[in-house]
Amino acid sequence: VDGIKYQTLTTTTVQISSYETLPSPDFTVSSTVRYKGQNYKVVKISWQAFHDCTTLASVTIEKGITEIDEYAFMDCENLMKVTLPEGLKTLKKNAFWSCDNLVSINLPSTLTEIGHACFAKCKNLQSDMIVPSGVNKIEGETFSGCNRITKISLPETITEIGSMAFQNCYELKDINIPSSVHNIGSRAFEDCHK
């Protein structure tokens, strides 16, 4: 439908499985799609759905989508801005890995999982990261190589920071480590010079 491929999950829900063409480099992922006279709710962006989509500059994801799967936007080298909706619960591993020009992304308060290496190698990410209270672990390499992040706020619900979670965050100046954290993995803050 309009250059986007969908896969049925239930009789009323679908996931985005891949793309053929995008109508615009500034793309809105709609939470509904009409196909053959029936309306479907879009609830998930699946594995590698937009992987290596070099024409994508910004993405706005509508409320109703609850999961962004592994590698969904990996290597979208020209992606600069992502707007995530309230209601989103899961960002799986490597979802935005190596989006070199990603500058801005928000983390909705409804998130409960940010997967391994989710934002790794997003070297231009400049947003102050406020991790929502529903998240209880910073997985390994989650923000590794995010060279330009200067501030990360962690909630009191965090109990673990994984290996290399913030490795090579050269500009990181301000991070709070809550008293709830009982395990910090190896090299979690390696080469954080500030």
PDB file of all heavy atoms in Angstrom, residues 69-83:
ATOM      1  N   ASP A  69      10.893  -3.355  15.971  1.00  0.00           N
ATOM      2  CA  ASP A  69      11.648  -4.599  16.060  1.00  0.00           C
ATOM      3  C   ASP A  69      13.136  -4.398  15.733  1.00  0.00           C
ATOM      4  O   ASP A  69      13.574  -3.322  15.321  1.00  0.00           O
ATOM      5  CB  ASP A  69      11.022  -5.623  15.106  1.00  0.00           C
ATOM      6  CG  ASP A  69      11.271  -7.068  15.536  1.00  0.00           C
ATOM      7  OD1 ASP A  69      12.015  -7.307  16.505  1.00  0.00           O
ATOM      8  OD2 ASP A  69      10.714  -7.966  14.876  1.00  0.00           O
ATOM      9  N   GLU A  70      13.874  -5.488  15.870  1.00  0.00           N
ATOM     10  CA  GLU A  70      15.315  -5.495  15.635  1.00  0.00           C
ATOM     11  C   GLU A  70      15.657  -4.966  14.242  1.00  0.00           C
ATOM     12  O   GLU A  70      14.999  -5.319  13.264  1.00  0.00           O
ATOM     13  CB  GLU A  70      15.852  -6.919  15.776  1.00  0.00           C
ATOM     14  CG  GLU A  70      15.676  -7.484  17.160  1.00  0.00           C
ATOM     15  CD  GLU A  70      16.103  -8.940  17.264  1.00  0.00           C
ATOM     16  OE1 GLU A  70      16.617  -9.507  16.274  1.00  0.00           O
ATOM     17  OE2 GLU A  70      15.921  -9.503  18.354  1.00  0.00           O
ATOM     18  N   TYR A  71      16.666  -4.118  14.195  1.00  0.00           N
ATOM     19  CA  TYR A  71      17.250  -3.606  12.949  1.00  0.00           C
ATOM     20  C   TYR A  71      16.257  -2.817  12.083  1.00  0.00           C
ATOM     21  O   TYR A  71      16.523  -2.582  10.911  1.00  0.00           O
ATOM     22  CB  TYR A  71      17.842  -4.753  12.105  1.00  0.00           C
ATOM     23  CG  TYR A  71      18.731  -5.697  12.883  1.00  0.00           C
ATOM     24  CD1 TYR A  71      18.279  -6.944  13.282  1.00  0.00           C
ATOM     25  CD2 TYR A  71      20.025  -5.326  13.228  1.00  0.00           C
ATOM     26  CE1 TYR A  71      19.088  -7.807  14.011  1.00  0.00           C
ATOM     27  CE2 TYR A  71      20.842  -6.185  13.950  1.00  0.00           C
ATOM     28  CZ  TYR A  71      20.360  -7.421  14.338  1.00  0.00           C
ATOM     29  OH  TYR A  71      21.171  -8.272  15.050  1.00  0.00           O
ATOM     30  N   ALA A  72      15.155  -2.387  12.641  1.00  0.00           N
ATOM     31  CA  ALA A  72      14.083  -1.762  11.847  1.00  0.00           C
ATOM     32  C   ALA A  72      14.563  -0.549  11.050  1.00  0.00           C
ATOM     33  O   ALA A  72      14.172  -0.379   9.893  1.00  0.00           O
ATOM     34  CB  ALA A  72      12.915  -1.374  12.753  1.00  0.00           C
ATOM     35  N   PHE A  73      15.394   0.293  11.645  1.00  0.00           N
ATOM     36  CA  PHE A  73      15.894   1.489  10.956  1.00  0.00           C
ATOM     37  C   PHE A  73      17.431   1.483  10.865  1.00  0.00           C
ATOM     38  O   PHE A  73      18.039   2.518  10.630  1.00  0.00           O
ATOM     39  CB  PHE A  73      15.424   2.756  11.674  1.00  0.00           C
ATOM     40  CG  PHE A  73      13.939   2.976  11.589  1.00  0.00           C
ATOM     41  CD1 PHE A  73      13.092   2.530  12.596  1.00  0.00           C
ATOM     42  CD2 PHE A  73      13.377   3.620  10.497  1.00  0.00           C
ATOM     43  CE1 PHE A  73      11.722   2.738  12.527  1.00  0.00           C
ATOM     44  CE2 PHE A  73      12.014   3.832  10.412  1.00  0.00           C
ATOM     45  CZ  PHE A  73      11.180   3.386  11.428  1.00  0.00           C
ATOM     46  N   MET A  74      18.035   0.350  11.023  1.00  0.00           N
ATOM     47  CA  MET A  74      19.497   0.229  11.004  1.00  0.00           C
ATOM     48  C   MET A  74      20.070   0.774   9.697  1.00  0.00           C
ATOM     49  O   MET A  74      19.511   0.571   8.621  1.00  0.00           O
ATOM     50  CB  MET A  74      19.861  -1.242  11.164  1.00  0.00           C
ATOM     51  CG  MET A  74      21.323  -1.541  11.121  1.00  0.00           C
ATOM     52  SD  MET A  74      21.537  -3.318  11.432  1.00  0.00           S
ATOM     53  CE  MET A  74      23.093  -3.572  10.641  1.00  0.00           C
ATOM     54  N   ASP A  75      21.171   1.511   9.814  1.00  0.00           N
ATOM     55  CA  ASP A  75      21.909   2.038   8.663  1.00  0.00           C
ATOM     56  C   ASP A  75      21.115   3.016   7.799  1.00  0.00           C
ATOM     57  O   ASP A  75      21.397   3.157   6.606  1.00  0.00           O
ATOM     58  CB  ASP A  75      22.440   0.908   7.764  1.00  0.00           C
ATOM     59  CG  ASP A  75      23.574   0.134   8.409  1.00  0.00           C
ATOM     60  OD1 ASP A  75      24.388   0.755   9.117  1.00  0.00           O
ATOM     61  OD2 ASP A  75      23.642  -1.094   8.202  1.00  0.00           O
ATOM     62  N   CYS A  76      20.137   3.693   8.381  1.00  0.00           N
ATOM     63  CA  CYS A  76      19.444   4.767   7.648  1.00  0.00           C
ATOM     64  C   CYS A  76      20.322   6.007   7.780  1.00  0.00           C
ATOM     65  O   CYS A  76      20.124   6.859   8.649  1.00  0.00           O
ATOM     66  CB  CYS A  76      18.044   4.996   8.222  1.00  0.00           C
ATOM     67  SG  CYS A  76      16.913   3.642   7.901  1.00  0.00           S
ATOM     68  N   GLU A  77      21.311   6.090   6.911  1.00  0.00           N
ATOM     69  CA  GLU A  77      22.400   7.051   7.083  1.00  0.00           C
ATOM     70  C   GLU A  77      21.991   8.511   6.981  1.00  0.00           C
ATOM     71  O   GLU A  77      22.707   9.385   7.458  1.00  0.00           O
ATOM     72  CB  GLU A  77      23.530   6.746   6.107  1.00  0.00           C
ATOM     73  CG  GLU A  77      23.153   6.913   4.659  1.00  0.00           C
ATOM     74  CD  GLU A  77      24.261   6.499   3.701  1.00  0.00           C
ATOM     75  OE1 GLU A  77      25.001   5.565   4.013  1.00  0.00           O
ATOM     76  OE2 GLU A  77      24.366   7.144   2.641  1.00  0.00           O
ATOM     77  N   ASN A  78      20.857   8.822   6.372  1.00  0.00           N
ATOM     78  CA  ASN A  78      20.413  10.217   6.259  1.00  0.00           C
ATOM     79  C   ASN A  78      19.269  10.572   7.197  1.00  0.00           C
ATOM     80  O   ASN A  78      18.765  11.691   7.166  1.00  0.00           O
ATOM     81  CB  ASN A  78      20.022  10.514   4.812  1.00  0.00           C
ATOM     82  CG  ASN A  78      21.232  10.436   3.901  1.00  0.00           C
ATOM     83  OD1 ASN A  78      22.260  11.026   4.186  1.00  0.00           O
ATOM     84  ND2 ASN A  78      21.128   9.665   2.838  1.00  0.00           N
ATOM     85  N   LEU A  79      18.881   9.630   8.035  1.00  0.00           N
ATOM     86  CA  LEU A  79      17.815   9.876   9.012  1.00  0.00           C
ATOM     87  C   LEU A  79      18.321  10.829  10.084  1.00  0.00           C
ATOM     88  O   LEU A  79      19.325  10.561  10.734  1.00  0.00           O
ATOM     89  CB  LEU A  79      17.371   8.550   9.632  1.00  0.00           C
ATOM     90  CG  LEU A  79      16.242   8.608  10.649  1.00  0.00           C
ATOM     91  CD1 LEU A  79      14.970   9.161  10.028  1.00  0.00           C
ATOM     92  CD2 LEU A  79      15.990   7.209  11.226  1.00  0.00           C
ATOM     93  N   MET A  80      17.636  11.977  10.246  1.00  0.00           N
ATOM     94  CA  MET A  80      18.083  12.997  11.191  1.00  0.00           C
ATOM     95  C   MET A  80      17.164  13.161  12.394  1.00  0.00           C
ATOM     96  O   MET A  80      17.620  13.541  13.467  1.00  0.00           O
ATOM     97  CB  MET A  80      18.245  14.337  10.481  1.00  0.00           C
ATOM     98  CG  MET A  80      19.330  14.314   9.433  1.00  0.00           C
ATOM     99  SD  MET A  80      19.759  15.932   8.738  1.00  0.00           S
ATOM    100  CE  MET A  80      18.197  16.559   8.250  1.00  0.00           C
ATOM    101  N   LYS A  81      15.878  12.884  12.229  1.00  0.00           N
ATOM    102  CA  LYS A  81      14.934  13.120  13.325  1.00  0.00           C
ATOM    103  C   LYS A  81      13.904  12.002  13.378  1.00  0.00           C
ATOM    104  O   LYS A  81      13.357  11.609  12.351  1.00  0.00           O
ATOM    105  CB  LYS A  81      14.227  14.462  13.149  1.00  0.00           C
ATOM    106  CG  LYS A  81      13.268  14.777  14.271  1.00  0.00           C
ATOM    107  CD  LYS A  81      12.605  16.125  14.100  1.00  0.00           C
ATOM    108  CE  LYS A  81      11.676  16.370  15.283  1.00  0.00           C
ATOM    109  NZ  LYS A  81      10.949  17.610  15.154  1.00  0.00           N
ATOM    110  N   VAL A  82      13.643  11.513  14.620  1.00  0.00           N
ATOM    111  CA  VAL A  82      12.617  10.496  14.839  1.00  0.00           C
ATOM    112  C   VAL A  82      11.717  10.970  15.974  1.00  0.00           C
ATOM    113  O   VAL A  82      12.194  11.375  17.027  1.00  0.00           O
ATOM    114  CB  VAL A  82      13.236   9.128  15.207  1.00  0.00           C
ATOM    115  CG1 VAL A  82      12.153   8.108  15.528  1.00  0.00           C
ATOM    116  CG2 VAL A  82      14.134   8.625  14.079  1.00  0.00           C
ATOM    117  N   THR A  83      10.415  10.914  15.726  1.00  0.00           N
ATOM    118  CA  THR A  83       9.432  11.243  16.755  1.00  0.00           C
ATOM    119  C   THR A  83       8.672   9.970  17.092  1.00  0.00           C
ATOM    120  O   THR A  83       7.964   9.418  16.252  1.00  0.00           O
ATOM    121  CB  THR A  83       8.461  12.336  16.263  1.00  0.00           C
ATOM    122  OG1 THR A  83       9.230  13.475  15.836  1.00  0.00           O
ATOM    123  CG2 THR A  83       7.503  12.750  17.359  1.00  0.00           C
TER     124      THR A  83
END
